[in-house]
Amino acid sequence: LFEQRRAQDALKNTEMFYQALVESLPQFILRKDTQGRFTFANQKFCASLGKTLDEVLGSARELSPRGMEAVA
C-alpha cells in the first residue's frame, strides 16, 4: 500500500512538472490522435485560436492560430 501511494505521488509530481513545462514554453504545444482529433493543446495555442481547451479538444478540424497557416 505504501509503495502504491509513493508511485501515485511520483506520477502526480511528473504530471504537474509536464503541465508547468508545456504551459511555460513560448511554442504552441498540441497533440492529435490517429483520427486527427486534438487530444491536448496548451493555453498559448488555445488563446491564439480564441477558443477554450474544451472547445479545441476532440475537434478534428484544421484550426489555425491567428496569423498562421493551417496547423497539421
Side-chain angles (χ1 to χ4, degrees):
L1 188 61
F2 176 75
E3 288 300 317
Q4 182 180 4
R5 176 66 182 175
R6 208 163 108 185
Q8 289 172 339
D9 288 345
L11 178 60
K12 183 177 179 180
N13 287 338
T14 300
E15 289 171 343
M16 288 172 36
F17 175 78
Y18 172 79
Q19 185 71 27
L21 177 65
V22 299
E23 294 301 343
S24 67
L25 291 173
Q27 292 86 9
F28 298 140
I29 309 294
L30 55 110
R31 180 180 61 225
K32 289 184 170 185
D33 64 16
T34 57
Q35 282 76 43
R37 294 180 300 241
F38 286 93
T39 60
F40 177 83
N42 67 351
Q43 289 300 315
K44 181 172 182 69
F45 181 75
C46 294
S48 74
L49 298 172
K51 297 188 177 292
T52 67
L53 180 59
D54 287 339
E55 292 172 316
V56 171
L57 293 181
S59 174
R61 294 189 357 236
E62 290 298 315
L63 301 174
S64 298
R66 293 182 193 118
M68 291 184 67
E69 295 186 23
V71 175

